């Protein structure tokens, strides 16, 4: 059974600082690793999807890395802004099923 | 090009009543997934449906819960005789196909509160 853990559970940083969010998973037999953003009262927005054969994906200020052998993924957000405040979820994908972590709630202070 | 639509956004039920949650997938998507998010926990897979077929319901409780995705109309997640422990956010997602790296698009969820 896949277990996904996200550390820390919450993070507060001043605007402009870089963010580092960690995700670990127990079963390395994954198809992909995905990062989502969840805003209060809203659905999940897909940020990045890293295929199992890839090491990283980048989109704008976001960069996610994947190390399957150690069961880890890291999401980096450069030069954080107040608009980045949200809960970030990582999910390990196997076929059609996603196993989610509990999320890291980020607050970026202006 | 509307996204995944879920309604209602909030649903309040008393213990013993029935809850019906609806999900309309994105246009062109025929694969629907339901996830449940309990307070302070990650989303948990419940069920995967294609039009008129349940593909995998391994994450759904055996009793009181059922799901359908008819040929016409939205997918329905039905919870009979609700209990307080059913209070959670229920999210629906859809995809165009079932593939190794197929992206899932999520709705805004239905927050179910059982009094």
């Amino acid at each position: 059974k896949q277990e996904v853990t996200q550390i820390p559970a919450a993070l507060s940083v001043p605007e402009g600082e870089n963010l580092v969010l960690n995700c670990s998973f127990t079963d390395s037999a994954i198809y992909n690793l995905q990062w989502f953003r969840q805003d209060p009262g809203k659905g999940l927005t897909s940020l990045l999807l890293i295929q199992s054969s890839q090491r990283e994906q980048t989109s704008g200020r976001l960069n996610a890395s994947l190390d399957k052998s150690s069961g880890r993924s890291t999401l980096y957000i450069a030069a954080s802004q107040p608009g980045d405040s949200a809960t970030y979820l990582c999910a390990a994908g196997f076929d059609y099923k996603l196993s989610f972590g509990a999320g890291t709630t980020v607050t970026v202070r202006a | 090009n509307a996204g995944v639509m879920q309604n209602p956004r909030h649903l309040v039920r008393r213990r013993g009543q029935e809850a019906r949650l609806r999900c309309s997938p994105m246009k062109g998507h025929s694969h629907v997934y339901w996830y449940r998010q309990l307070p302070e926990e990650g989303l948990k897979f419940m069920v995967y449906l294609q039009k008129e077929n349940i593909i995998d319901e391994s994450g759904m409780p055996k009793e009181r819960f059922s799901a359908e995705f008819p040929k016409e109309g939205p997918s329905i997640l039905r919870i009979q005789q609700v209990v307080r422990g059913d209070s959670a956010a229920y999210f629906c997602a859809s995809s165009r196909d079932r593939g190794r790296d197929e992206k899932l698009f999520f709705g805004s969820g239905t927050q179910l509160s059982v009094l």
Side-chain angles (χ1 to χ4, degrees):
Chain A
K1 183 190 169 193
Q2 181 73 271
E3 301 283 347
V4 180
T5 304
Q6 291 188 247
I7 294 173
L11 189 58
S12 178
V13 300
E15 183 177 2
E17 196 163 297
N18 297 332
L19 287 162
V20 180
L21 308 180
N22 297 301
C23 171
S24 61
F25 48 94
T26 54
D27 187 347
S28 61
I30 60 172
Y31 281 16
N32 56 61
L33 192 291
Q34 302 186 44
W35 284 92
F36 293 87
R37 170 182 171 139
Q38 183 177 23
D39 292 283
K42 295 187 180 179
L44 279 66
T45 302
S46 178
L47 297 175
L48 292 166
L49 184 155
I50 313 173
Q51 297 175 16
S52 60
S53 58
Q54 296 177 321
R55 293 287 236 164
E56 66 176 348
Q57 276 287 341
T58 298
S59 176
R61 293 184 294 112
L62 275 59
N63 174 278
S65 65
L66 174 63
D67 184 343
K68 266 184 61 176
S69 60
S70 66
R72 294 177 192 274
S73 177
T74 303
L75 177 67
Y76 302 89
I77 303 177
S80 61
Q81 304 167 358
D84 294 329
S85 298
T87 297
Y88 292 83
L89 305 174
C90 78
F94 186 83
D95 199 357
Y96 52 82
K97 205 177 285 189
L98 295 177
S99 297
F100 282 86
T104 294
T105 298
V106 171
T107 303
V108 180
R109 307 186 302 271
Chain B
N1 188 13
V4 177
M5 305 299 291
Q6 288 189 250
N7 65 80
R9 292 293 305 276
H10 302 276
L11 183 61
V12 180
R13 285 286 177 267
R14 296 192 181 280
R15 280 179 295 169
Q17 291 184 320
E18 178 180 287
R20 279 186 181 238
L21 288 63
R22 286 176 291 278
C23 168
S24 296
M26 282 183 70
K27 188 176 180 181
H29 287 195
S30 59
H31 300 252
V32 166
Y33 316 81
W34 285 92
Y35 283 79
R36 176 165 68 172
Q37 186 176 34
L38 293 167
E40 308 303 321
E41 293 187 20
L43 279 77
K44 299 277 193 258
F45 169 82
M46 297 182 75
V47 61
Y48 164 35
L49 310 104
Q50 290 182 38
K51 284 284 186 182
E52 300 183 277
N53 288 304
I54 296 175
I55 308 302
D56 180 359
E57 55 184 349
S58 61
M60 201 158 64
K62 295 281 186 285
E63 297 180 358
R64 303 188 297 108
F65 285 71
S66 63
E68 63 176 11
F69 189 17
K71 188 176 179 181
E72 301 290 338
S75 174
I76 307 285
L77 179 67
R78 182 180 176 212
I79 311 172
Q80 294 178 290
Q81 299 175 327
V82 296
V83 301
R84 290 229 171 97
D86 297 332
S87 295
Y90 292 81
F91 289 93
C92 167
S94 73
S95 66
R96 184 178 302 277
D97 206 342
R98 171 185 171 174
R100 189 181 180 93
D101 295 309
E102 193 72 23
K103 259 193 179 180
L104 267 61
F105 294 82
F106 281 81
S108 298
T110 293
Q111 181 65 51
L112 173 64
S113 299
V114 180
L115 305 179

